[in-house]
């Protein structure tokens, strides 16, 4: 549990604090300050909402700890998913540290077997790191809801099938009533509209061509067709082959092609030939006469001629369109090719210009990005230093930091004055040197006057130099003072460090308290078992002594009477001890009931306190809203 503080303490400054009350192993109240993370509290609320939406309503109980709510919800979700795993997930409220660690390790071991996409460690669950627990709980809730829906559909279908075995709905009764009638109606409709054979061919074995057999079969059922598509395809193929042969041989002109009338006559002859070998089906048996075949052909000839004429017209229109397209197609292709070539050249030139411009802009962009990265890194360093400086500021060292700021400002001012003074000295020295050279150049008559001026200049230079030395000494002394103050500030621990120390001590106290409680329970159990053993040994010794003295006591009436008196005394002593133990038991029970009543009263006071705090916050919010409205 000690390794879970890293992610929590990183946000320690953004949390709030409150007093919590717990009990040690002896039942004494202990109050301590605990840091709370607002983000962790938000994630805890979201986890509880998810568990309530999934159906785990124990998360509403306010008396449960966050660990019991979250881990109990995760165990419930895993159990609901009905995963085939060889692990016993037994959740108990108010478990010991060992039981909590064992349960969290089992949960972490089950998640990969359930193919959970998120990974979590046991110490994160024990340390209540809700930010990392939230995605796992979200996935488990989704998996539990999906499993419950699947099981609901399966149970619903199974219940419907079981119901249908012995019972029927009104819709099923109506369907069974209309089933026979509907089946007979459908069968009748199929019989009415099924194909009826009108003719029967006598010489089936003579038809070896597949296409002829197909047309003969269609004629047997009263279906008549003209030239089939396969015939057209064969004719077109024959035409193309003939044209290719003529072109290869250098033959000019076209091959002779049959006309539409000839094709129509050939089709009629083929139909008459097929019909001649058929006999009518129905009441009259035998072969068809020549007059019957002639009448059938005569009845269909008008329709055949009409279809043939329409086909000839469509064929002529198609040939005319092909000729027109064949004439102007080449010129149109050349014009389109030239235009496309010109457009391609224009686009290529534009592409080169754009690529050149893009290269220049990309170069400028890279330079700008490099400058931006440098500025961002410099800004990040400044922000980091400012954050560090702000983190070290507290109420205790605020005055020291204020003084430090004033000293730093003074230091910067002195540095600036020193630089200005140096520049002024250089300028003055340059000016004086120039004047010296001018004076030397003008005249050398008055040497004594020059010496006086030189001595004045030397004195002024010496004074200025001493002044500069004093300023440097003052700057060094101020710098030492600043360094001393900086070391003192560094020695004072920050608020984040103090909160980490406090959290570590609280966790250590919890561990020691739980271990002490377990040890005390073990001592209590040992004392109870030892008392039980003592009473059992006394009982065994008493029974052995009764058994040993029973034979001697029964030998004479006096010994028998004395044995009975001793036995009655022993029974009275046992009853006295039993009454004392019962009285002690009742006292302990009354003490336990009294402590339980006190505990319930404290819980009620805590709930009332939380409710009062909530109402107070709501009233404060309303007061702020009213004040803002009044200011407006």
């Amino acid at each position: 549990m000690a390794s879970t503080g890293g992610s929590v303490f990183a946000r320690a400054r953004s949390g709030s604090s409150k007093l919590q009350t717990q009990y040690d192993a002896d039942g004494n109240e202990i109050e301590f300050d605990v840091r709370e993370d607002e983000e962790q509290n938000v994630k805890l609320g979201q986890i509880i909402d998810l568990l309530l939406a999934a159906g785990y309503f124990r998360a509403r109980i306010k008396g449960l700890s966050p660990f019991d709510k979250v881990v109990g919800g995760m165990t419930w979700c895993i159990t609901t998913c009905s995963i085939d795993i060889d692990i016993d997930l037994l959740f108990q409220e108010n478990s010991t540290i060992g039981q909590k660690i064992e349960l969290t390790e089992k949960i972490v071991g089950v998640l990969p077997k359930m193919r959970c996409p998120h990974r979590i460690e046991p110490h994160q669950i024990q340390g209540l790191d809700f930010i990392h627990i939230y995605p796992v709980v979200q996935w488990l809730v989704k998996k539990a809801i999906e499993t419950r829906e699947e099981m609901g559909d399966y149970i619903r279908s199974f219940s419907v099938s079981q119901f249908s075995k012995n019972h029927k709905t009104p819709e099923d009764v109506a369907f069974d009533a209309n089933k026979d009638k509907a089946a007979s109606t459908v069968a009748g409709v199929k019989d009415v509209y099924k194909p009826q054979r009108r003719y029967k061919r006598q010489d089936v074995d003579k038809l070896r061509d597949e296409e002829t057999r197909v047309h003969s079969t269609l004629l047997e059922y009263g279906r008549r067709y003209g030239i089939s598509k396969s015939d057209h395809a064969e004719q077109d193929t024959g035409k193309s082959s003939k044209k290719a042969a003529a072109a290869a041989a250098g033959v000019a002109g076209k091959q002779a092609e049959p006309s539409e009338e000839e094709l129509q006559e050939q089709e009629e002859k083929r139909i008459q030939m097929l019909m001649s070998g058929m006999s009518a089906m129905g009441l009259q048996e035998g072969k068809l006469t020549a007059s019957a075949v002639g009448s059938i052909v005569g009845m269909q000839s008008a329709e055949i001629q009409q279809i043939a004429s329409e086909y000839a017209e469509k064929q002529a229109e198609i040939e005319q369109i092909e000729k027109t397209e064949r004439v102007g197609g080449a010129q149109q292709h050349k014009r389109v090719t030239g235009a496309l070539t010109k457009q391609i050249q224009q686009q290529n030139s534009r592409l080169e210009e754009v690529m050149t411009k893009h290269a220049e802009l990309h170069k400028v962009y890279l330079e700008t990005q490099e400058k931006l990265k440098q500025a961002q890194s410099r800004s990040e360093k400044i922000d980091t230093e400012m954050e560090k400086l702000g983190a070290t500021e507290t109420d205790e060292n605020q005055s020291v930091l204020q003084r430090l700021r004033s000293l730093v400002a003074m230091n910067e001012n002195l540095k600036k004055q020193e630089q200005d003074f140096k520049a002024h000295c250089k300028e003055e020295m340059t000016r004086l040197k120039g004047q010296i050279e001018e004076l030397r150049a003008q005249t050398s008559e008055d040497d004594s006057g020059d010496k006086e001026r030189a001595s004045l200049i030397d004195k002024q230079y010496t004074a200025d130099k001493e002044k500069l030395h004093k300023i440097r000494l003052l700057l060094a002394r101020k710098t030492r003072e600043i360094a001393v103050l900086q070391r003192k500030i560094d020695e004072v621990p920050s608020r984040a460090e103090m909160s980490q120390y406090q959290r570590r001590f609280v966790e250590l106290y919890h561990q020691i308290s739980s271990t002490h409680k377990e040890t005390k329970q073990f001592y209590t159990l040992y004392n109870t078992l030892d008392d039980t053993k003592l009473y059992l040994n006394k009982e065994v010794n008493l029974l052995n002594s009764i058994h040993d003295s029973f034979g001697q006591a029964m030998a004479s009436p006096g010994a028998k009477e004395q044995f009975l008196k001793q036995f009655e005394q022993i029974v009275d002593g046992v009853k006295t001890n039993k009454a004392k133990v019962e009285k002690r038991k009742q006292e302990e029970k009354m003490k336990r009931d009294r402590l339980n009543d006190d505990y319930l009263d404290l819980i009620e006071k805590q709930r009332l306190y939380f409710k009062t705090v909530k109402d107070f916050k709501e009233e404060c919010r309303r007061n702020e809203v009213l004040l803002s409205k009044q200011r407006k």
Side-chain angles (χ1 to χ4, degrees):
M1 293 178 62
S3 62
T4 62
S7 61
V8 178
F9 297 136
R11 296 180 293 275
R13 298 182 70 252
S14 64
S16 60
S17 64
K18 70 174 184 179
L19 289 175
Q20 288 189 358
T21 303
Q22 288 193 0
Y23 300 92
D24 59 2
D26 298 329
N28 300 321
E29 293 185 357
I30 298 174
E31 291 186 354
F32 55 90
D33 188 13
V34 178
R35 303 293 301 179
E36 287 187 352
D37 194 345
E38 296 295 337
E39 188 175 356
Q40 295 283 1
N41 293 334
V42 171
K43 289 297 181 182
L44 175 59
Q46 294 177 359
I47 290 172
I48 292 174
D49 293 338
L50 285 175
L51 294 175
L52 291 176
Y56 185 69
F57 299 107
R58 289 185 58 83
R60 291 179 178 174
I61 301 175
K62 294 183 179 179
L64 293 178
S65 63
F67 180 85
D68 291 339
K69 291 179 182 179
V70 174
V71 177
M74 294 174 71
T75 307
W76 178 81
C77 290
I78 293 171
T79 308
T80 306
C81 291
S82 300
I83 303 298
D84 188 9
I85 53 177
D86 189 12
I87 295 177
D88 184 15
L89 293 175
L90 178 59
F91 172 71
Q92 296 178 355
E93 297 178 1
N94 300 323
S95 304
T96 61
I97 291 182
Q99 293 174 350
K100 290 180 179 179
I101 293 173
E102 184 179 1
L103 182 59
T104 52
E105 289 178 353
K106 287 182 179 180
I107 291 174
V108 173
V110 167
L111 291 176
K113 296 181 181 179
M114 297 177 64
R115 297 182 180 178
C116 179
H118 307 286
R119 292 292 178 265
I120 193 170
E121 297 297 331
H123 63 81
Q124 293 176 340
I125 302 177
Q126 298 163 16
L128 300 180
D129 191 0
F130 300 116
I131 296 176
H132 293 86
I133 296 173
Y134 175 74
V136 178
V137 175
Q138 187 178 17
W139 183 84
L140 286 175
V141 168
K142 182 179 179 182
K143 187 74 172 177
I145 292 174
E146 292 177 356
T147 305
R148 191 164 54 188
E149 290 178 355
E150 293 176 0
M151 293 300 296
D153 296 338
Y154 173 74
I155 294 172
R156 191 178 298 107
S157 60
F158 179 74
S159 61
V160 169
S161 64
Q162 294 295 325
F163 176 81
S164 300
K165 290 181 180 180
N166 300 320
H167 306 281
K168 291 184 179 180
T169 61
E171 291 81 2
D172 295 336
V173 174
F175 177 77
D176 293 338
N178 297 328
K179 181 177 179 181
D180 297 335
K181 185 177 180 181
S184 61
T185 304
V186 172
V189 171
K190 287 183 177 180
D191 292 337
V192 170
Y193 291 100
K194 70 180 181 179
Q196 296 181 0
R197 191 171 188 179
R198 299 181 181 180
Y199 307 101
K200 183 178 180 181
R201 187 167 185 82
Q202 301 297 330
D203 50 353
V204 181
D205 298 335
K206 295 181 180 180
L207 299 177
R208 298 182 179 178
D209 188 8
E210 183 178 358
E211 183 179 359
T212 306
R213 289 198 298 271
V214 171
H215 283 279
S216 175
T217 304
L218 294 175
L219 289 173
E220 289 178 3
Y221 285 91
R223 296 179 178 270
R224 298 175 59 86
Y225 294 93
I227 301 175
S228 62
K229 294 182 180 180
S230 60
D231 296 338
H232 286 297
E234 290 177 359
Q235 291 176 6
D236 295 338
T237 305
K239 290 178 183 178
S240 61
S241 60
K242 289 178 181 179
K243 288 180 181 179
V251 180
K254 297 182 179 179
Q255 297 289 336
E257 298 179 357
S259 61
E260 296 293 334
E261 291 79 3
E262 294 177 355
L263 293 174
Q264 188 66 30
E265 291 177 358
Q266 292 177 4
E267 187 68 22
E268 290 179 0
K269 290 180 181 179
R270 190 169 63 85
I271 291 173
Q272 290 177 3
M273 181 183 66
L274 293 173
M275 293 294 292
S276 62
M278 296 183 184
S279 61
M281 297 291 293
L283 297 175
Q284 295 181 358
E285 298 293 338
K287 297 182 179 179
L288 288 174
T289 59
S291 60
V293 176
S295 63
I296 293 171
V297 175
M299 289 167 59
Q300 302 293 333
S301 60
E303 297 178 0
I304 294 171
Q305 290 178 0
Q306 184 180 358
I307 294 171
S309 62
E310 292 177 358
Y311 176 77
E313 292 176 359
K314 297 292 182 181
Q315 191 70 20
E317 291 177 1
I318 292 170
E319 290 178 358
Q320 187 67 25
I321 292 170
E322 288 179 354
K323 289 180 181 179
T324 305
E325 291 178 353
R326 214 178 280 118
V327 172
Q331 297 178 358
Q332 181 69 20
H333 178 69
K334 290 181 180 180
R335 288 196 297 271
V336 171
T337 304
L340 292 175
T341 304
K342 188 174 181 181
Q343 291 180 3
I344 290 170
Q345 293 176 356
Q346 293 177 357
Q347 295 295 331
N348 288 331
S349 62
R350 287 182 61 188
L351 177 63
E352 292 177 356
E353 295 176 357
V354 171
M355 290 296 291
T356 305
K357 190 174 181 181
H358 175 267
E360 295 176 355
L361 293 175
H362 185 68
K363 185 176 180 181
V364 175
Y365 168 75
L366 294 176
E367 294 176 356
T368 308
Q369 287 291 329
E370 187 66 27
K371 293 179 180 178
L372 177 62
K373 289 180 180 179
Q374 294 176 0
Q376 288 178 350
S377 62
R378 193 180 301 110
S379 176
E380 290 177 357
K381 290 180 180 178
I382 294 172
D383 292 339
T384 305
E385 295 296 330
M386 292 298 294
E387 289 178 359
K388 290 181 179 178
L389 183 60
T392 57
E393 183 176 0
T394 59
D395 295 336
E396 294 80 5
N397 59 5
Q398 189 174 5
S399 61
V400 178
L401 290 176
Q402 189 67 27
R403 183 180 177 186
L404 180 63
R405 290 193 184 97
S406 62
L407 291 175
V408 171
M410 184 184 296
N411 185 18
E412 295 295 333
N413 191 12
L414 291 175
K415 286 182 179 179
K416 186 176 180 181
Q417 289 180 4
E418 181 184 1
Q419 293 177 359
D420 296 339
F421 181 73
K422 285 181 179 180
H424 177 70
C425 289
K426 288 181 180 179
E427 292 177 357
E428 188 68 20
M429 185 174 64
T430 305
R431 186 179 64 81
L432 291 175
K433 286 182 178 180
Q435 289 180 358
I436 290 170
E437 292 296 333
E438 289 178 358
L439 291 173
R440 285 178 181 177
Q442 286 179 0
T443 178
S444 59
E445 294 179 357
D446 196 357
D447 296 335
S448 61
D450 293 339
K451 291 180 179 178
E452 292 179 359
R453 294 190 189 96
S455 63
L456 290 174
I457 292 171
D458 292 337
K459 290 180 181 179
Q460 186 176 0
Y461 174 74
T462 305
D464 292 339
K465 190 174 181 181
E466 291 178 356
K467 186 178 180 180
L468 177 61
H469 182 67
K470 291 180 180 179
I471 292 173
R472 286 181 176 177
L473 292 176
L474 180 62
L475 178 62
R477 185 168 60 254
K478 296 297 181 182
T479 305
R480 287 195 297 272
E481 292 178 0
I482 291 171
V484 171
L485 292 175
Q486 186 68 35
R487 284 194 296 272
K488 290 182 179 179
I489 292 172
D490 292 337
E491 290 175 357
V492 177
S494 63
R495 185 178 300 174
E497 293 174 350
M498 294 297 292
S499 64
Q500 289 182 4
Y501 295 152
Q502 182 183 10
R503 185 65 180 270
R504 296 277 76 79
F505 282 123
V506 169
E507 289 182 356
L508 180 61
Y509 170 75
H510 288 334
Q511 292 179 0
I512 295 172
S513 176
S514 60
T515 306
H516 177 66
K517 186 177 179 180
E518 290 180 0
T519 307
K520 191 173 181 180
Q521 290 177 355
F522 291 148
Y523 273 105
T524 304
L525 180 61
Y526 174 78
N527 292 331
T528 304
L529 295 175
D530 188 53
D531 293 339
T532 305
K533 180 183 177 182
L534 180 62
Y535 285 121
L536 290 175
N537 289 330
K538 288 182 179 179
E539 183 178 357
V540 170
N541 293 330
L542 180 61
L543 292 175
N544 290 330
S545 64
I546 292 171
H547 182 268
D548 294 337
S549 61
F550 181 77
Q552 297 177 2
M554 293 296 106
S556 63
K560 181 177 180 181
E561 185 177 356
Q562 187 179 1
F563 175 76
L564 291 176
K565 288 180 181 180
Q566 291 178 358
F567 193 76
E568 288 176 358
Q569 291 176 0
I570 292 172
V571 171
D572 294 336
V574 171
K575 288 182 179 180
T576 304
N577 292 331
K578 182 179 179 183
K580 290 180 180 179
V581 173
E582 290 291 339
K583 184 178 179 180
R584 184 181 176 187
K585 178 181 177 183
Q586 291 296 330
E587 291 177 354
E588 294 293 335
K589 188 175 181 181
M590 291 173 63
K591 184 179 178 181
R592 186 199 65 185
D593 295 338
R594 186 174 64 256
L595 292 175
N596 192 17
D597 293 337
D598 295 339
Y599 176 69
L600 294 177
D601 292 338
L602 291 174
I603 289 177
E604 188 64 29
K605 289 181 181 179
Q606 186 182 15
R607 291 177 181 173
L608 181 60
Y609 170 74
F610 288 150
K611 184 177 181 299
T612 307
V613 171
K614 184 178 180 182
D615 296 338
F616 178 72
K617 288 182 180 178
E618 183 65 23
E619 292 297 329
C620 291
R621 187 187 64 79
R622 291 178 60 187
N623 186 22
E624 291 178 358
V625 172
L626 293 174
L627 288 175
S628 62
K629 289 182 179 180
Q630 185 177 3
R631 290 171 184 173
K632 293 180 180 179

